[in-house]
Amino acid sequence: MESVPVLVSACLRGIPCRWDGGAKPSAALDTLLAGRTPVPFCPEQAAGLATPRRPAELVGGDGHAVLDGTARVVDDTGTDVTEPFVDGARRALAAAREAGCAEAVLMPRSPSCGRGQVYDGSFGGGLVPGDGVTAALFARHGITVTPAPGV
């Protein structure tokens, strides 16, 4: 039987690509992925953002609103980084399609990968309902997004 590919946030697979230069591997994720082929991908790095980089959050709405042009992604200095976040989401979608992924397991709360909850844009740790830009784009294209467990 052929293993089913699933796109996974690269930081969850131990690749140091998070905004702070770190990674967030999870034993619970390893259990969830058992018998499947993980396809690690970091939308932010794929779009050319540096690692480490300034932390970014969604302002004015979630990733769906960003894709609709009514919200932005900004870093903690106020710099607008919407364009690379949208570009990274498009690159992630292309990678998922190329690998045959119908599902993605993504980093919770992230402005790219968050599903169901994202940081509120205040850089104070508050959360609001919503999806990150990549999670929103995946949802619009029929890719099931699951937040990674244990992170």
Side-chain angles (χ1 to χ4, degrees), residues 9-127:
S9 294
C11 61
L12 296 169
R13 300 304 296 158
I15 298 169
C17 57
R18 287 174 37 91
W19 68 271
D20 61 1
K24 284 276 188 174
S26 161
L29 176 64
D30 292 340
T31 301
L32 178 67
L33 294 175
R36 298 193 268 177
T37 302
V39 178
F41 195 88
C42 176
E44 295 164 35
Q45 276 194 334
L49 292 172
T51 301
R53 56 191 164 274
R54 305 298 312 177
E57 294 190 7
L58 300 159
V59 175
D62 74 346
H64 294 279
V66 169
L67 294 172
D68 293 339
T70 60
R72 311 298 295 161
V73 186
V74 298
D75 72 17
D76 65 343
T77 68
T79 301
D80 189 312
V81 290
T82 303
E83 189 174 312
F85 273 74
V86 171
D87 179 50
R90 290 181 181 135
R91 291 171 184 265
L93 178 61
R97 285 179 168 164
E98 183 176 327
C101 301
E103 182 182 359
V105 179
L106 302 179
M107 181 68 195
R109 302 172 298 280
S110 159
S112 285
C113 298
R115 175 76 168 125
Q117 259 189 344
V118 291
Y119 289 108
D120 66 7
S122 71
F123 295 93
L127 297 170

